[in-house]
Amino acid sequence: MDLTDKQKGVVRGVIPAAVLTIAGLGGVSLLLPVRMLPVDEPGARLAWALQWALLPVLTLMISIARVGNQRFYSAEDIDGSGLTDGTPQVRVLRAVLQNTLEQAVLAVAAYAIWAVVMPYAWLRSICIAAPFFVAGRVLFSRGYARGAAGRAMGFGLTAYPTFGMLVTVGVVLAFRLLVR
């Protein structure tokens, strides 16, 4: 299959994101001291994971504020998307906001599920996934206007840790069912 130039650009962006995700979740997190983790009790694990969820939630808040600010300062956008088609600027900001909302919901759920399902020492992975989320959102937002290749690295850094965590949890839970 021959890839288009845009598809090649996406691949060039997502490969480093995948490598960083694997290195971060699979290796760097193991370098963090276990003593930084909460007590090994379900409630404490969940509370700790939700503290890290603040990072994805803050990126969502910033995305909402960016759309609101654009609308406030633009006569064409001030009435909102229900009443206008919007300027190109607000359409880009809305697209970034929509994607950030989708990614944040998955990330917060992944952190919470990870915290209660995975072995205790693996909680350290959340400490890597959450900052990757923020970095990914910044890169995604900055690269959005450059098209698919411009936002690929940011998308990958945002999504791959979450996807990796969810798939891993799914495998662990399936294995536990089979072993019983």
Side-chain angles (χ1 to χ4, degrees):
M1 175 179 154
D2 291 332
L3 299 177
T4 66
D5 287 340
K6 287 184 180 186
Q7 289 171 318
K8 290 175 186 174
V10 169
V11 170
R12 281 191 299 274
V14 296
I15 287 177
V19 169
L20 282 170
T21 297
I22 292 166
L25 296 182
V28 174
S29 66
L30 298 176
L31 300 175
L32 300 172
V34 174
R35 69 179 180 279
M36 72 181 285
L37 297 176
V39 199
D40 192 11
E41 297 172 359
R45 285 169 157 241
L46 188 56
W48 188 80
L50 289 176
Q51 291 174 33
W52 285 102
L54 176 64
L55 294 178
V57 170
L58 285 174
T59 64
L60 179 58
M61 180 192 76
I62 290 166
S63 290
I64 292 168
R66 290 181 72 206
V67 171
N69 285 337
Q70 171 64 30
R71 285 185 176 150
F72 182 78
Y73 291 108
S74 168
E76 298 148 64
D77 296 322
I78 199 163
D79 287 326
S81 59
L83 299 174
T84 67
D85 290 332
T87 61
Q89 295 89 346
V90 85
R91 287 196 308 268
V92 166
L93 291 172
R94 283 192 335 240
V96 170
L97 169 57
Q98 180 64 42
N99 188 265
T100 302
L101 172 62
E102 295 161 359
Q103 297 290 343
V105 167
L106 278 180
V108 170
Y111 301 171
I113 297 165
W114 185 270
V116 296
V117 171
M118 298 304 290
Y120 178 69
W122 288 42
L123 292 179
R124 296 176 291 191
S125 297
I126 299 170
C127 299
I128 302 299
F132 275 9
F133 188 99
V134 173
R137 290 293 82 195
V138 169
L139 293 171
F140 183 86
S141 180
R142 286 189 175 177
Y144 196 92
R146 293 192 319 269
R151 63 183 184 264
M153 173 74 162
F155 180 86
L157 269 183
T158 303
Y160 292 168
T162 302
F163 293 175
M165 292 170 88
L166 290 170
V167 168
T168 302
V169 166
V171 169
V172 166
L173 290 174
F175 181 75
R176 286 181 187 170
L177 284 174
L178 295 174
V179 172
R180 288 185 181 197

